[in-house]
C-alpha cells in the first residue's frame, strides 16, 4: 500500500463542531473522496458548511456530478438524520441558494451567516467571506476571468498529484504553494483578513470562521481570532472544535501521513 492511499480510521472521533468550506461539488477538481473519508472519521454535534459547497457557476456551463459527489451529500444527510445539526452558510458559487435563506429542513438550516458560541464562551461570526472580496463583489467579470486562470492551475495540480500518487508520494497542492509565493496573492489574502476582522470588531465578535480564499489558517488579526476553513479542492482542510473549546486546523495530507506511519508501525516496518 502506498502512502497516497487513504486508510480508514478505526473508529469515529467525537467532536463538538466541524467547519468545512469550498468543496465545489460539481467540478472535476473537487476532492470528494477525501472529504467523504474525513466525514466518516468524526461524530460531531454540529457541522457548518461555510459556503461554495456546490459550484453553481460551473454547473451552469455543464453538468459534472460523479458518484463521489453524491456520496458526500448522502453522508451529510445521514449525519443529520443521526442527530448532527447541519448549518449551510451560502457562498458566492452557491449564491443561487441565497433566495432560500432561513430555510429549515429537519436538522438542516440554510443561512447567509451564523453565530457560533464556543464551549468557553467566544462569539464567532460564521460567514463565507465573499462579501469582503472587492473583486467578487464589484468586478464580477474579473472574478470569472480569475476563475479560468485558477482552473488551469488546478488542472496542473491534478496531473502533478496523479504522478505523485503513482510513485508513492502523498498529496501536495501546487496552487496553495503559489499563493504563498506570489506577492499579489499574499497581499490579497492580507487585505481580505483585515477587512473581515474589522467587521468582527465592529459587530462585537471575538472571532470569525470563513472560507472563500482557499487559504486555511488560524491566527490573530489584531484582537480578532481569524479562522479560515480552507477548501476541499486544493488543500483539503477543515476546522474542528473539540470538547474543551480548542479549535484545530485539520489537514488531510498530514492526517494521511500520520495514518500511514501508524499502519507501518503496527506492521513493524520502519516509517
Amino acid at each position: 500500500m502506498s502512502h497516497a492511499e487513504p486508510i480508514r480510521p478505526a473508529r469515529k472521533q467525537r467532536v463538538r463542531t466541524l467547519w468545512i468550506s469550498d468543496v465545489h461539488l460539481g467540478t472535476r477538481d473537487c476532492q470528494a473522496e477525501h472529504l467523504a473519508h474525513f466525514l466518516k472519521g468524526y461524530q460531531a454535534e454540529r457541522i457548518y458548511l461555510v459556503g461554495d459547497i456546490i459550484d453553481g457557476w460551473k454547473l451552469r456551463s455543464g453538468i459534472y456530478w460523479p458518484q463521489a459527489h453524491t456520496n458526500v451529500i448522502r453522508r451529510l444527510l445521514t449525519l443529520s438524520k443521526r442527530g448532527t445539526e447541519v448549518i449551510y452558510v451560502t457562498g458566492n458559487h452557491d449564491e443561487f441558494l441565497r433566495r432560500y435563506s432561513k430555510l429549515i429542513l429537519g436538522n438542516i438550516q440554510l443561512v447567509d451567516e451564523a453565530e457560533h458560541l464556543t464551549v468557553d464562551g467566544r462569539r464567532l461570526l460564521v460567514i463565507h467571506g465573499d462579501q469582503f472580496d472587492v473583486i467578487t463583489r464589484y468586478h464580477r467579470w474579473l472574478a470569472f476571468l480569475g476563475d479560468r486562470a485558477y482552473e488551469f492551475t488546478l488542472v496542473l495540480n491534478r496531473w502533478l498529484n496523479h504522478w505523485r500518487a503513482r510513485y508513492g508520494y502523498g498529496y501536495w497542492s501546487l496552487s496553495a504553494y503559489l499563493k504563498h509565493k506570489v506577492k499579489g496573492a499574499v497581499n490579497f489574502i492580507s487585505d481580505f483578513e483585515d477587512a473581515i476582522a474589522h467587521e468582527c470588531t465592529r459587530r462585537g465578535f471575538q472571532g470569525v470562521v470563513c472560507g472563500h480564499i482557499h487559504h486555511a489558517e488560524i491566527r490573530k488579526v489584531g484582537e480578532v481570532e481569524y479562522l479560515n476553513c480552507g477548501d476541499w479542492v486544493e488543500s483539503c482542510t477543515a476546522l474542528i472544535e473539540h470538547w474543551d473549546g480548542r479549535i484545530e486546523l485539520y489537514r488531510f495530507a498530514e492526517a494521511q501521513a500520520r495514518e500511514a506511519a501508524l499502519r507501518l508501525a503496527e506492521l513493524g516496518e520502519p516509517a
Side-chain angles (χ1 to χ4, degrees):
M1 180 180 293
S2 74
H3 287 207
E5 295 174 2
I7 301 167
R8 185 180 298 276
R11 60 183 178 182
K12 290 181 181 293
Q13 181 179 350
R14 291 190 69 251
V15 296
R16 187 167 186 257
T17 313
L18 297 176
W19 288 275
I20 300 160
S21 76
D22 297 88
V23 178
H24 292 275
L25 293 170
T27 67
R28 294 185 182 277
D29 294 293
C30 168
Q31 306 282 342
E33 296 89 348
H34 293 341
L35 177 55
H37 174 75
F38 167 73
L39 290 172
K40 286 178 183 177
Y42 292 90
Q43 180 183 341
E45 184 178 87
R46 183 177 293 109
I47 296 177
Y48 288 94
L49 306 174
V50 193
D52 286 4
I53 305 303
I54 299 170
D55 196 320
W57 289 13
K58 194 66 175 177
L59 289 173
R60 288 175 193 163
S61 59
I63 301 298
Y64 175 79
W65 196 275
Q67 183 62 42
H69 295 204
T70 298
N71 292 344
V72 168
I73 299 295
R74 284 180 174 173
R75 171 57 50 182
L76 291 168
L77 291 174
T78 297
L79 289 169
S80 72
K81 286 181 183 178
R82 292 176 179 172
T84 296
E85 184 181 6
V86 178
I87 301 174
Y88 192 132
V89 180
T90 57
N92 54 306
H93 280 258
D94 46 21
E95 63 187 352
F96 64 94
L97 293 173
R98 285 179 171 164
R99 71 187 71 175
Y100 307 111
S101 293
K102 300 182 181 179
L103 178 68
I104 300 176
L105 295 172
N107 271 345
I108 302 176
Q109 300 178 47
L110 185 67
V111 297
D112 291 335
E113 64 175 59
E115 178 181 329
H116 178 77
L117 193 65
T118 64
V119 172
D120 49 2
R122 287 169 291 157
R123 290 179 62 235
L124 304 180
L125 173 64
V126 184
I127 191 167
H128 180 63
D130 59 291
Q131 302 89 334
F132 304 94
D133 177 351
V134 174
I135 292 175
T136 299
R137 191 171 182 181
Y138 298 111
H139 305 286
R140 289 180 62 87
W141 68 273
L142 274 177
F144 279 104
L145 183 63
D147 208 43
R148 293 291 179 267
Y150 177 61
E151 285 177 8
F152 175 71
T153 307
L154 291 178
V155 170
L156 293 179
N157 198 68
R158 192 190 316 155
W159 280 103
L160 173 65
N161 279 286
H162 167 77
W163 289 104
R164 284 178 62 87
R166 289 197 63 173
Y167 286 98
Y169 293 98
Y171 180 81
W172 180 77
S173 176
L174 169 65
S175 45
Y177 172 79
L178 291 175
K179 280 185 180 178
H180 284 88
K181 297 298 181 182
V182 177
K183 184 178 179 181
V186 173
N187 290 341
F188 169 78
I189 290 170
S190 178
D191 291 345
F192 174 84
E193 293 171 347
D194 289 343
I196 204 167
H198 175 76
E199 179 67 8
C200 285
T201 301
R202 188 183 70 83
R203 295 172 58 178
F205 287 97
Q206 284 78 53
V208 60
V209 178
C210 60
H212 185 57
I213 60 173
H214 294 209
H215 183 73
E217 192 164 19
I218 296 178
R219 74 182 190 93
K220 279 279 192 178
V221 179
E223 296 300 314
V224 173
E225 187 175 9
Y226 173 85
L227 305 111
N228 195 303
C229 308
D231 66 281
W232 288 87
V233 174
E234 302 175 51
S235 51
C236 299
T237 53
L239 295 170
I240 302 171
E241 181 190 12
H242 296 279
W243 291 99
D244 60 359
R246 176 174 55 92
I247 298 179
E248 170 194 358
L249 176 55
Y250 170 95
R251 297 184 185 275
F252 179 80
E254 294 175 2
Q256 189 180 42
R258 286 195 301 269
E259 291 173 4
L262 181 60
R263 177 61 61 88
L264 287 174
E266 290 173 351
L267 295 173
E269 299 179 14

